[in-house]
Amino acid sequence: MKTNRFFGRDVVSINDFSRDELEFLFEKTNKMKELKPKEKDELGKARIMGYLFYEPSTRTRMSFEAAMASIGGSSIGISDLRSSSIEKGESLQDTVRVMDLYSDIIILRHQLDGSSKFAAEISDHPIINGGSGSEEHPTQAMLDLYTIIKEKKRIDGLKICILGDLKYGRTIYSLLYGLSNYDVEVILISPPTLKIRQESIYGLKNKMKIVELEEINETVFQNSDILYVTRIQKERFSDPQEYEKVKGVYTIDSTILKQFKPDISIMHPLPRIDEISQDVDNKSNAIYFKQASYGKDLRSALLALILNESPI
Ligand code: CP
């Protein structure tokens, strides 16, 4: 049996995890489904997950809470800053220190790049990065890779097109770092003002083929196995007029879908605004809600692995 290298570990960046470790997590995510409820309950029994969400969330917070409940644990946390002492000016450092006193593991979402790394240095208990500024969202990428494997049975050899706000979308950076463990070709499509931050992908270009485009391109869609769409991150724009210029720039609808490779899978970390039309939702290519459902499965395995030395 392989050693559980997740035990007691922080999840700050997906870069901290090797392909072997990610695949160990995916294997355990599958295995969780085979466990009887009593066996699952033992994995989180009498354990408390603390969460600190300085930015809004639906999926990350709820799937972590549901995941913790599914392994018999409980959750406490802050998601409405106005009802906490953060509103009175308490620092991130002190808030993490206090949550560390009450919890066995902490999920942090914060608007600053580096926030989870900072929290991990303060906290005695493991920190999981639930989204740090425009920097990373590692557990989203873990569930994205898991979704691709579930859907396509492999990652090696795939052509993956990523469309939208590549400058501010933190899920994209974690996804690219995760994909760099595999033999893939990536096509990045964004408006010129929302291109990928070159300094953040500098090291990736010798690991995988990356092509950058500014327009939706029929040939690309006909050749891609995955289309990963992202929202324009309105909240990250310092100038609202800049947002207005790119708002609604791409919309994937059932008409455009006809140009795609028939078995292309359309993914999105959600929330979506208008970048995927609702008339795509009932197509077999649309897997973004399935993707969200895998979030709970993968996070329950991740929590179980971090909290228990030999869990599953
Ligand atoms: N995908 C994602 O992070 O969604 P939330 O912002 O709703 O957590």
Side-chain angles (χ1 to χ4, degrees):
M1 198 164 90
K2 280 189 189 168
T3 312
N4 171 16
R5 294 206 295 260
F6 285 78
F7 178 56
R9 195 160 166 189
D10 299 308
V11 180
V12 170
S13 167
I14 197 167
N15 273 327
D16 299 335
F17 296 86
S18 66
R19 175 170 173 162
D20 265 6
E21 288 170 336
L22 292 171
E23 290 181 351
F24 178 80
L25 172 64
F26 304 151
E27 183 199 314
K28 297 302 177 190
T29 303
N30 288 335
K31 203 146 179 221
M32 288 291 278
K33 290 189 198 297
E34 295 162 17
L35 297 184
K36 297 188 182 86
K38 251 188 162 174
E39 292 171 312
K40 274 182 90 172
D41 272 356
E42 287 301 313
L43 299 171
K45 195 173 163 185
R47 303 296 191 88
I48 296 174
M49 182 189 82
Y51 59 81
L52 297 171
F53 276 73
Y54 284 76
E55 290 188 326
S57 168
T58 296
R59 277 144 293 272
T60 308
R61 183 170 66 80
M62 292 204 308
S63 63
F64 264 118
E65 277 200 78
M68 193 61 182
S70 78
I71 59 168
S74 55
S75 308
I76 56 170
I78 297 171
S79 56
D80 173 11
L81 302 187
R82 285 167 307 174
S83 67
S84 77
S85 289
I86 298 165
E87 178 74 3
K88 300 176 204 161
E90 190 162 34
S91 65
L92 174 62
Q93 177 164 343
D94 287 0
T95 306
V96 169
R97 284 184 74 164
V98 172
M99 188 56 98
D100 193 28
L101 301 174
Y102 304 147
S103 320
D104 299 291
I105 189 163
I106 299 171
I107 319 300
L108 173 67
R109 171 171 288 189
H110 195 279
Q111 61 276 17
L112 288 181
D113 292 10
S115 46
S116 280
K117 187 169 186 297
F118 174 71
E121 282 162 12
I122 295 163
S123 174
D124 288 336
H125 292 106
I127 293 283
I128 300 185
N129 181 356
S132 49
S134 303
E135 178 191 45
E136 272 217 59
H137 191 350
T139 65
Q140 178 68 46
M142 288 170 175
L143 77 91
D144 292 342
L145 297 177
Y146 180 73
T147 303
I148 295 172
I149 292 175
K150 293 300 267 185
E151 210 58 26
K152 301 291 186 193
K153 313 292 173 223
R154 67 194 166 104
I155 299 180
D156 285 322
L158 295 182
K159 281 193 182 167
I160 299 170
C161 177
I162 306 180
L163 172 75
D165 180 351
L166 308 183
K167 181 176 180 185
Y168 297 119
R170 58 190 168 206
T171 64
I172 299 306
Y173 291 88
S174 292
L175 179 60
L176 288 171
Y177 303 148
L179 285 173
S180 72
N181 291 293
Y182 295 86
D183 175 21
V184 291
E185 184 176 332
V186 174
I187 303 104
L188 301 174
I189 309 181
S190 65
T193 53
L194 295 179
K195 284 180 87 162
I196 200 93
R197 300 189 305 267
Q198 294 301 320
E199 68 278 15
S200 301
I201 61 154
Y202 181 72
L204 299 185
K205 291 197 168 167
N206 52 12
K207 290 190 182 172
M208 58 187 179
K209 187 173 175 196
I210 300 180
V211 177
E212 291 187 65
L213 302 171
E214 290 173 6
E215 302 286 337
I216 286 189
N217 179 317
E218 196 178 318
T219 318
V220 168
F221 287 165
Q222 278 166 2
N223 287 314
S224 296
D225 301 291
I226 305 276
L227 172 64
Y228 191 102
V229 186
T230 63
R231 172 179 70 90
I232 310 283
Q233 310 273 308
K234 183 180 179 185
E235 66 278 20
R236 310 253 177 246
F237 283 73
S238 48
D239 179 353
Q241 285 183 338
E242 288 301 310
Y243 171 71
E244 289 302 318
K245 284 185 201 161
V246 287
K247 188 176 89 174
V249 67
Y250 307 119
T251 302
I252 302 302
D253 59 22
S254 56
T255 309
I256 295 184
L257 190 58
K258 292 191 184 111
Q259 301 172 7
F260 293 3
K261 193 173 178 178
D263 68 345
I264 194 169
S265 295
I266 303 175
M267 298 176 67
H268 193 308
L270 304 177
R272 61 109 175 248
I273 308 302
D274 52 10
E275 57 280 0
I276 302 180
S277 165
Q278 286 189 1
D279 67 3
V280 175
D281 293 359
N282 61 0
K283 307 288 182 201
S284 58
N285 313 82
I287 62 164
Y288 28 91
F289 289 107
K290 203 192 278 186
Q291 181 185 353
S293 83
Y294 290 141
K296 181 191 158 201
D297 300 339
L298 182 127
R299 287 171 173 133
S300 64
L302 182 64
L303 289 169
L305 290 171
I306 294 174
L307 291 170
N308 301 274
E309 193 162 5
S310 45
I312 314 168

